Amino acid sequence: MNSADTKTHAGGTRLAGKLCVVTGAARGIGAAIAEAFAAQGASVIVTDKDDDPARAVADETGSRFVHLDVTSEADWARLESQYPEIDVLVNNAGITGFEDGPATHDPEHASLTDWRAVHATNLDGTFLGCRYAIAAMRSKGSGSIINMSSRSGMVGIPAAAAYASSKAAVRNHTKTVALYCAQQGLNIRCNSIHPAAIMSPMWEPMLGTGADREKNAAAFVKDTPMQRFGDPDEVAALAVLLASDDATYMTGAELTIDGGILAGSAASPG
């Protein structure tokens, strides 16, 4: 049940001349997006609250690093003072609530504190990011906002109520932002990406280590028609599309990347 072979980002010019901010870019999907954007000629601002690995990504991609806790209005204000005009924002930073190991996140037993913590990063962070991006794109009258939702934002997840709720709200807010910008006469597009099981550090607490790791991994994708985890590079490819001028008529859209799991009932490969 391995993910796809990691692909080297092909060089190109699809994002040449664009200034792109990526949140939660220290690792996983965010790092892959930063790498893909840089490979396509963008000037990338790598942001994260985890400074050292984010700086490493910035160094590897020839990008700039800015410390950003997406739940902090003060951090967003500092980013705005440094970069008052941008072309692309990827609201990627997110948490599951399981980062420190097993936790109770079902709708009967989850604590309000844990519920609010997940929403603070996933939803409040996206709200603050969209607010910043609209202001930073208004002078040009154009730009692309890409919000990272999830397959979990489209279906219920009994053991991860806060995560599912927050990602559903991101899905809806994306459409609200898209309509608002169009209503304002701005060519600022806002779209969402909905990954399912992507092999990234976010999954590590749930996969575990040792002999049970492969068994756990297989269990997580047993209902996925393609029978594997996705790769962060596969998500990054969609982000490149949405950031580029190849998608100038796409706004308020949602792109699902889930190995076919939402296509309907699936039979296992023969």
Side-chain angles (χ1 to χ4, degrees):
M1 303 303 166
N2 295 324
S3 62
D5 292 337
T6 300
K7 297 173 285 300
T8 300
H9 294 295
T13 59
R14 294 175 75 186
L15 303 181
K18 294 185 184 296
L19 181 60
C20 306
V21 174
V22 184
T23 73
R27 56 182 61 83
I29 291 173
I33 291 172
E35 292 162 8
F37 279 12
Q40 288 296 326
S43 296
V44 182
I45 311 301
V46 171
T47 77
D48 206 291
K49 67 177 183 179
D50 197 352
D51 292 358
D52 289 343
R55 280 199 183 95
V57 172
D59 290 343
E60 291 166 8
T61 58
S63 304
R64 287 162 278 181
F65 165 71
V66 174
H67 175 89
L68 176 67
D69 177 347
V70 296
T71 69
S72 167
E73 282 195 276
D75 279 10
W76 281 107
R78 279 192 293 271
L79 181 66
E80 183 175 12
S81 68
Q82 291 177 266
Y83 299 100
E85 293 186 4
I86 64 169
D87 298 290
V88 177
L89 170 68
V90 183
N91 281 312
N92 169 75
I95 63 173
T96 62
F98 299 100
E99 283 73 19
D100 296 325
T104 302
H105 278 282
D106 66 73
E108 182 179 5
H109 302 102
S111 72
L112 184 59
T113 297
D114 289 345
W115 170 272
R116 285 175 171 167
V118 172
H119 281 80
T121 296
N122 297 357
L123 180 56
D124 296 352
T126 297
F127 159 72
L128 291 170
C130 289
R131 192 176 71 178
Y132 156 69
I134 294 169
M137 296 173 184
R138 183 176 280 279
S139 62
K140 290 185 179 181
S142 64
S144 175
I145 302 169
I146 303 166
N147 292 332
M148 199 61 62
S149 182
S150 171
R151 177 200 68 110
S152 300
M154 306 174 84
V155 297
I157 307 293
Y163 182 75
S165 171
S166 68
K167 291 300 187 178
V170 168
R171 178 194 188 195
N172 187 271
H173 191 61
T174 297
K175 299 177 189 302
T176 294
V177 171
L179 293 174
Y180 173 80
C181 290
Q183 186 182 60
Q184 293 282 304
L186 301 169
N187 189 27
I188 298 173
R189 300 176 291 108
C190 188
N191 298 285
S192 57
I193 299 177
H194 298 254
I198 305 298
M199 187 57 76
S200 69
M202 184 177 283
W203 281 87
E204 292 301 324
M206 293 173 275
L207 291 174
T209 59
D212 289 338
R213 184 180 174 86
E214 285 299 316
K215 182 177 71 175
N216 292 338
F220 277 119
V221 296
K222 68 182 177 64
D223 294 327
T224 300
M226 292 185 73
Q227 294 287 290
R228 67 171 176 85
F229 276 81
D231 188 90
D233 283 342
E234 294 173 302
V235 183
L238 292 185
V240 169
L241 168 65
L242 292 175
S244 77
D245 293 338
D246 295 331
T248 52
Y249 199 51
M250 288 182 69
T251 194
E254 51 196 47
L255 296 183
T256 302
I257 177 166
D258 66 355
I261 197 168
L262 290 181
S265 299
S268 297

